[in-house]
Amino acid sequence: MGASRIIFQGDRLWLASTPALPEVEAELRLRLPEGHLALKVAEDQPLPEGVEALGLRDAFSRMDPGDWAQAGRAYQWLEWAAAHRFCGSCATALEPCEGPEAGHGRRCPACGRTVFPSNATAIIVLIQRGEGPDRELALARSPHFKSGVYSAIAGFTEPGESLEQAVHREVAEELGIRVHRLRYFGSQPWPFPNGLMVAFVADHLDGDLRPDPVEIEDARWFRLDALPQLPSALSIARWMLDAAVAGKTDEPGMGADPNE
Ligand SMILES: [Zn+2]
């Protein structure tokens, strides 16, 4: 990926086989906080020679993880800008905020409302029980998962809810059990389209698995030595599962802090 220009066409990232992406006409150009230029090109724009357009999930295996994360950030900024062209209060066209404290928000010149990008915050929780070789994980399948894949329980926070409350609610709703001893694992920006995934490990407290019949296709306790097919290395769900297999989910600093 070019160091300074990141190009999306719809939800597909342009990847060039040559070192630099070609010059291109864009519908939307944004200078990102880090100085990169994010461009959104028209859906009917023909692909230049030597360029492929790939969804972010498919692009992951082809890119340096840092470049992929940057592309995800660019996508979130572009999506936000494309979806916030007019004031939600009075429908006037928004303008970029001006001044040193403006950040990267937009302001309504008529009523003064300012808007800034926001994340949809979701929790994900890996539930364990038992010790040592008898340890088991509660994993579930959503009907949307690839065939055979099981993962940790996840869901969006609701307005007015803490992360911990969201964990307890989602676990009760989706699995019908209770957990305790929540430990923070780490977090991951999730650009599909504007999520922030906050990951916890928790211990089973009580209850038998009674999966939600709508959201969960199947849920089971799996022994660490007999895990099913797991999600790809793209997601923090997999990082947690790998930590569980390595016996590291009981340690402090087990998560994804790049300074650890
Ligand atoms: Zn307004």
Side-chain angles (χ1 to χ4, degrees):
M1 188 174 75
S4 60
R5 285 188 314 143
I6 304 167
I7 302 176
F8 277 91
Q9 185 167 30
D11 60 1
R12 295 168 325 282
L13 175 67
W14 279 17
L15 286 180
S17 51
T18 52
L21 285 162
E23 289 300 325
V24 70
E25 285 289 315
E27 308 184 315
L28 184 58
R29 307 171 76 88
L30 284 184
R31 182 66 66 184
L32 301 182
E34 306 84 358
H36 297 294
L37 189 61
L39 306 176
K40 184 183 175 85
V41 301
E43 280 290 346
D44 58 1
Q45 172 112 9
L47 276 183
E49 184 137 359
V51 171
E52 273 184 280
L54 286 181
L56 274 173
R57 283 185 172 86
D58 293 328
F60 178 73
S61 61
R62 304 264 299 270
M63 298 175 72
D64 169 83
D67 286 347
W68 187 83
Q70 186 58 57
R73 285 172 64 82
Y75 179 68
Q76 295 198 41
W77 280 101
L78 287 170
E79 282 297 296
W80 177 79
H84 292 82
R85 294 164 55 214
F86 298 96
C87 176
S89 295
C90 74
T92 304
L94 296 173
E95 297 174 347
C97 291
E98 301 286 347
E101 293 174 14
H104 287 72
R106 289 184 169 183
R107 184 173 180 283
C108 175
C111 76
R113 174 182 281 269
T114 52
V115 290
F116 295 93
S118 61
N119 288 316
T121 307
I123 56 85
I124 182 163
V125 54
L126 183 62
I127 304 163
Q128 24 181 63
R129 72 177 183 187
E131 298 296 332
D134 292 325
R135 173 155 287 177
E136 294 179 308
L137 308 177
L139 302 180
R141 272 191 57 72
S142 147
H144 311 295
F145 287 3
K146 274 189 194 159
S147 172
V149 171
Y150 284 73
S151 187
I153 291 297
F156 287 105
T157 59
E158 294 178 349
E161 190 175 55
S162 71
L163 296 169
E164 293 83 355
Q165 288 169 330
V167 166
H168 292 298
R169 177 182 51 76
E170 287 287 344
V171 169
E173 284 175 5
E174 298 201 357
L175 295 183
I177 62 176
R178 294 197 302 165
V179 296
H180 65 155
R181 296 191 64 228
L182 254 59
R183 285 93 83 196
Y184 175 69
F185 179 83
S187 66
Q188 181 187 27
W190 190 242
F192 305 107
N194 66 331
L196 176 65
M197 193 67 95
V198 186
F200 295 89
V201 174
D203 292 340
H204 180 232
L205 175 60
D206 57 25
D208 295 325
L209 295 177
R210 284 182 290 107
D212 177 311
V214 177
E215 293 199 37
I216 304 293
E217 191 173 276
D218 187 35
R220 300 182 206 175
W221 289 103
F222 291 95
R223 286 175 59 94
L224 286 179
D225 58 6
L227 291 176
Q229 196 178 332
L230 300 178
S232 82
L234 179 70
S235 71
I236 199 166
R238 178 58 180 267
W239 310 345
M240 272 201 295
L241 285 157
D242 288 347
V245 169
K248 291 186 173 168
T249 46
D250 295 328
E251 296 175 8
M254 60 188 167
D257 184 347
N259 292 343
E260 294 260 353

